[in-house]
Amino acid sequence: MRYFAFLFFLLLFSCQEGEVSNYKAYLNLNDTVKYVGKEQCRMCHAEIYDSYIQTGMGRSFHYATKQNSELDGSLMPIIYDSIKNLFYEPFFKYDSLYIKEFRLKRKDTIHLLIKKIDYKIGSGHHTNSHIFEINGYLHQIPYTYYTQEEIADLPPGFENGQNSRFTREIGLECMSCHNAKSDHISLSSNKYNTVPQGIDCERCHGPGEIHVKTKLAGEFIDTSKYIDYSIVNPSKLPLDLQFDVCQRCHLQGTSVLAEGKSFESFKPGMKLEDVMDTYLPKFEDDHSFIMASHVDRLKQSSCFQNTEMTCVTCHNPHKSVTKLEVSYFDAKCMQCHDLCEDENIQNCTSCHMPKSSTTDIMHVSITDHKIGLHSSNESKRGKFLGLFAINNNNPTDLSKAKAYLKRYESFEANNLYLDSAFFYLERSDNNFVYYIQYYYLKNDRDGLINYVMSTQLNDSIYTKSDLALAFSRLGEVFFKEDLVTQAHSYHKRAVDLMPFVIDYKIKYGAFLLNNNQIYDAEIQFTNALKLNPTIKEIYLNLGYIAILKENYQEAERILKHAIAVDPDYILAYENLVLLSQKRDDTKSTKLYLYKILEINPQHKAKSILDKL
């Protein structure tokens, strides 16, 4: 049987030599084919494996140990967020990395919170950022070590008063480019059963189950003559599909998924536009670029536009660029540019692909992949031209609408984006949940309710995550308009659809609490606490429930725990004021009111103090 199987493979593979004309012939594109992990690949490809794990991709994600962290051996710098008045200090305890968040008043520590850092993210070529895990939920730590300048600072997006501390979720969109395929729980936003350690072989070659099975069965292909269709070799793909393998992650922007796709749907050999469109804002006379903009910049180069070059024309993904001499890349340039032998050509990229700062990440400079003549006097960007899908020349109107909505919500709350989203929604179909997003972001409650009341929902065409987000938002809006029955239904549907999204449980619980359904609300908050005991809103509401139940000692304990999680949590202090008033404890009431005014001098606590 093995002989006949082998003969079949030979017959199949001998039909096509060289470039693949029918990429769908690759057997590992089938959804039933499993991922096997990079250690399985090492059994036969040890030399390539050992070289690859030293690359930026191979080192992209790992446990936060001394061996893997760039902080080991450094001065372990302390950073200070002057806006939040918080310090962050990393330290090792044995081989484990921790972060200490603290606040000082004179020389006294008035707030202290210590978190174990479970993972470091980033190769170390530019940064090491940090992640903590609780019950499978992943969140970012507010501390990044910038290796190029050997300094520490807040992570990108945490600066300028935007420090979200320990609440930024690490969802699948982030994980799918910084790591190998993870065991993400689909009914959650940031919960994982297991997390692999670094981008692996299968990110670029596809799932390896069939390849491993055929080799173990003794079925070998002479790849110098034939193509082995049991696994993708990107160099054998058509040029556009080769490029898609790289631009899946080296094209940063606002990514919009195609219907029924997730951020882990793409496999090498597929067309990226069948899975997602990635948009970037374009401006007149714009010469700026962001961190992972390699593809966008390269596509603007004459070298790319006038040749058949791809990323692997210059890069060997199995070798670290940090271990390659300048002459290696000079030789790549010489392959196309006919230069005189007596010319002293050295370090072409220093002029034609200079290193420059990115607009989205501080303390980082990267190689500009727009190959050409660069001037230090390039003008600043001009008029906004729109969002453009870099990997798809003909995106749908719905895709464009979703891009503008996501850009508004995730990056920049510019009303121009909402206006553009509405324009494209009007021209598209299957847009119910996106109209809800539009009206919600526009804060147009009347428009949202009128739209929902007059439109029939076909929920079979949307993902559970999209529906749950829409229903949770509908629950909020309908409750604010005293449409309690509908609000209850929407909140419950959101929780039922995505039971591991804690935010939906908190909002549902708050709704129940506001409607005096204390027992049911307590169930929601207690279930949320079991999933993730690090979220301040859970303690806030459980503390308030304890006040309502006249369990004052328990209420104080829970509310103080909320403040231990966030020392500036005014809502928790307000509940402590209420608790103190219930106890007729004027001293504590004043203490908590003064604390509120320390955080927010404009708070109504001042008028309450005046009355006291």
Side-chain angles (χ1 to χ4, degrees):
M1 291 296 293
R2 221 179 251 180
Y3 170 80
F4 289 113
F6 184 37
L7 179 61
F8 168 77
F9 272 87
L10 277 178
L11 288 172
L12 175 63
F13 298 154
S14 63
C15 294
Q16 299 181 43
E17 297 185 29
E19 188 176 89
V20 181
S21 60
N22 179 15
Y23 67 91
K24 293 182 180 179
Y26 280 103
L27 304 177
N28 67 334
L29 287 180
N30 192 293
D31 288 339
T32 62
V33 182
K34 297 177 182 178
Y35 290 82
V36 297
K38 63 179 182 287
E39 298 304 325
Q40 186 74 53
C41 304
R42 190 180 190 278
M43 293 176 62
C44 296
H45 305 282
E47 184 177 349
I48 292 175
Y49 173 95
D50 292 340
S51 173
Y52 172 76
I53 61 171
Q54 301 302 318
T55 67
M57 291 189 292
R59 300 172 59 206
S60 61
F61 199 99
H62 220 297
Y63 293 114
T65 62
K66 287 184 178 181
Q67 178 183 355
N68 300 320
S69 175
E70 295 296 325
L71 285 169
D72 182 35
S74 76
L75 297 177
M76 305 292 279
I78 298 173
I79 64 174
Y80 176 58
D81 181 348
S82 60
I83 298 175
K84 296 282 188 181
N85 187 22
L86 290 169
F87 292 88
Y88 296 94
E89 179 181 10
F91 65 93
F92 278 102
K93 185 176 181 181
Y94 304 110
D95 197 35
S96 296
L97 184 59
Y98 292 79
I99 194 78
K100 177 166 65 175
E101 178 190 72
F102 62 97
R103 175 177 289 163
L104 298 177
K105 189 172 185 178
R106 299 181 184 91
K107 293 185 178 181
D108 294 330
T109 301
I110 59 173
H111 164 69
L112 176 64
L113 182 63
I114 295 176
K115 295 272 190 185
K116 182 179 184 295
I117 297 174
D118 295 285
Y119 303 103
K120 70 91 187 177
I121 184 169
S123 66
H125 292 168
H126 303 100
T127 66
N128 268 182
S129 289
H130 303 91
I131 294 171
F132 78 95
E133 181 266 330
I134 182 78
N135 296 337
Y137 288 93
L138 299 187
H139 292 86
Q140 187 166 0
I141 295 280
Y143 186 97
T144 291
Y145 185 62
Y146 295 87
T147 56
Q148 287 176 310
E149 296 186 9
E150 296 185 336
I151 62 173
D153 207 335
L154 293 170
F158 283 66
E159 65 272 44
N160 302 322
Q162 301 302 311
N163 182 2
S164 53
R165 300 176 60 246
F166 302 96
T167 63
R168 178 188 279 183
E169 298 179 352
I170 302 298
L172 194 57
E173 182 171 5
C174 173
M175 186 68 73
S176 64
C177 274
H178 285 278
N179 212 348
K181 190 175 190 302
S182 61
D183 189 5
H184 175 255
I185 295 175
S186 62
L187 302 182
S188 79
S189 54
N190 65 318
K191 183 175 173 64
Y192 301 82
N193 285 318
T194 57
V195 178
Q197 303 303 305
I199 299 168
D200 66 3
C201 315
E202 291 169 298
R203 271 290 176 212
C204 298
H205 294 278
E209 182 188 28
I210 290 179
H211 183 67
V212 171
K213 285 183 176 179
T214 56
K215 301 316 146 195
L216 291 177
E219 299 165 5
F220 297 99
I221 306 299
D222 182 354
T223 54
S224 67
K225 298 179 179 179
Y226 311 108
I227 295 172
D228 185 347
Y229 285 92
S230 67
I231 197 163
V232 171
N233 180 344
S235 67
K236 302 295 184 181
L237 291 171
L239 294 179
D240 59 332
L241 298 183
Q242 284 187 39
F243 208 62
D244 278 345
V245 174
C246 300
Q247 73 175 343
R248 165 62 186 92
C249 292
H250 290 271
L251 175 58
Q252 177 188 351
T254 302
S255 293
V256 172
L257 292 171
E259 184 178 325
K261 302 298 183 181
S262 84
F263 283 104
E264 288 197 329
S265 293
F266 177 78
K267 297 176 184 176
M270 297 173 65
K271 294 180 179 178
L272 184 59
E273 66 184 55
D274 290 342
V275 176
M276 67 180 70
D277 297 328
T278 298
Y279 291 81
L280 284 173
K282 294 295 181 181
F283 302 83
E284 290 180 347
D285 300 318
D286 185 17
H287 303 282
S288 62
F289 58 93
I290 55 179
M291 179 68 176
S293 59
H294 313 88
V295 167
D296 177 45
R297 298 295 285 177
L298 182 61
K299 284 185 174 181
Q300 298 176 43
S301 308
S302 295
C303 291
F304 175 82
Q305 295 167 0
N306 297 306
T307 70
E308 292 189 340
M309 75 177 300
T310 66
C311 305
V312 295
T313 302
C314 299
H315 288 285
N316 180 347
H318 296 145
K319 294 186 181 296
S320 173
V321 293
T322 62
K323 298 182 188 294
L324 296 172
E325 300 292 335
V326 169
S327 58
Y328 172 86
F329 293 103
D330 285 345
K332 296 292 184 181
C333 298
M334 304 294 185
Q335 289 177 0
C336 296
H337 295 276
D338 187 15
L339 300 167
C340 299
E341 291 183 5
D342 59 350
E343 287 190 69
N344 184 20
I345 304 300
Q346 203 168 32
N347 200 357
C348 307
T349 60
S350 64
C351 291
H352 298 289
M353 300 177 67
K355 284 188 176 294
S356 181
S357 298
T358 62
T359 58
D360 59 330
I361 300 183
M362 52 194 175
H363 313 305
V364 165
S365 61
I366 65 167
T367 299
D368 186 352
H369 278 65
K370 182 179 180 180
I371 309 167
L373 299 174
H374 294 259
S375 169
S376 58
N377 298 318
E378 290 175 333
S379 61
K380 293 183 179 180
R381 68 187 190 185
K383 178 183 175 183
F384 175 66
L385 300 176
L387 294 181
F388 291 85
I390 306 303
N391 68 306
N392 186 352
N393 293 326
N394 190 29
T396 65
D397 287 328
L398 182 58
S399 174
K400 295 175 186 176
K402 291 159 71 173
Y404 279 106
L405 289 170
K406 187 174 180 179
R407 183 80 190 178
Y408 179 94
E409 186 165 11
S410 301
F411 296 99
E412 183 183 3
N414 185 335
N415 286 329
L416 176 63
Y417 295 144
L418 288 184
D419 294 341
S420 298
F422 185 80
F423 173 79
Y424 287 113
L425 283 174
E426 292 284 87
R427 296 170 44 169
S428 61
D429 298 320
N430 301 333
N431 50 22
F432 182 91
V433 300
Y434 310 110
Y435 266 117
I436 292 172
Q437 185 180 10
Y438 165 78
Y439 285 116
Y440 181 87
L441 295 177
K442 196 173 176 63
N443 197 26
D444 182 356
R445 292 190 293 208
D446 289 339
L448 187 150
I449 291 173
N450 290 334
Y451 174 77
V452 171
M453 293 296 196
S454 62
T455 308
Q456 185 70 34
L457 167 64
N458 177 10
D459 57 10
S460 64
I461 62 176
Y462 300 108
T463 65
K464 288 184 177 181
S465 60
D466 283 345
L467 281 172
L469 178 60
F471 289 149
S472 182
R473 288 172 165 175
L474 286 175
E476 287 182 57
V477 172
F478 273 68
F479 176 66
K480 288 176 181 176
E481 295 297 315
D482 293 325
L483 299 168
V484 177
T485 302
Q486 295 96 320
H488 184 277
S489 173
Y490 286 130
H491 275 303
K492 187 176 185 305
R493 290 171 76 181
V495 170
D496 289 344
L497 281 169
M498 299 290 284
F500 295 107
V501 176
I502 295 172
D503 186 53
Y504 298 157
K505 292 184 184 297
I506 292 173
K507 289 179 177 177
Y508 184 30
F511 164 81
L512 294 168
L513 194 53
N514 281 318
N515 279 278
N516 296 315
Q517 299 179 55
I518 298 173
Y519 175 77
D520 290 336
E522 188 172 21
I523 290 175
Q524 290 299 319
F525 292 123
T526 302
N527 288 340
L529 188 67
K530 291 176 182 176
L531 290 173
N532 189 340
T534 68
I535 299 176
K536 64 183 181 181
E537 289 84 359
I538 301 174
Y539 293 104
L540 172 78
N541 286 283
L542 286 173
Y544 182 66
I545 288 172
I547 294 174
L548 295 178
K549 295 167 71 173
E550 299 184 352
N551 189 346
Y552 296 150
Q553 186 174 351
E554 179 69 0
E556 182 178 24
R557 182 191 69 81
I558 296 172
L559 290 170
K560 285 186 174 179
H561 195 109
I563 290 169
V565 173
D566 181 356
D568 298 323
Y569 197 18
I570 287 180
L571 291 176
Y573 280 112
E574 288 176 347
N575 278 351
L576 283 169
V577 169
L578 174 63
L579 174 61
S580 300
Q581 291 173 332
K582 293 279 188 182
R583 288 171 154 178
D584 293 324
D585 184 348
T586 304
K587 181 180 178 181
S588 293
T589 301
K590 289 182 177 180
L591 175 68
Y592 295 130
L593 288 170
Y594 279 121
K595 184 62 185 178
I596 290 172
L597 289 174
E598 280 183 30
I599 301 168
N600 179 10
Q602 308 304 318
H603 194 275
K604 63 182 180 181
K606 188 177 187 305
S607 62
I608 300 173
L609 268 172
D610 291 342
K611 292 177 182 178
L612 288 175

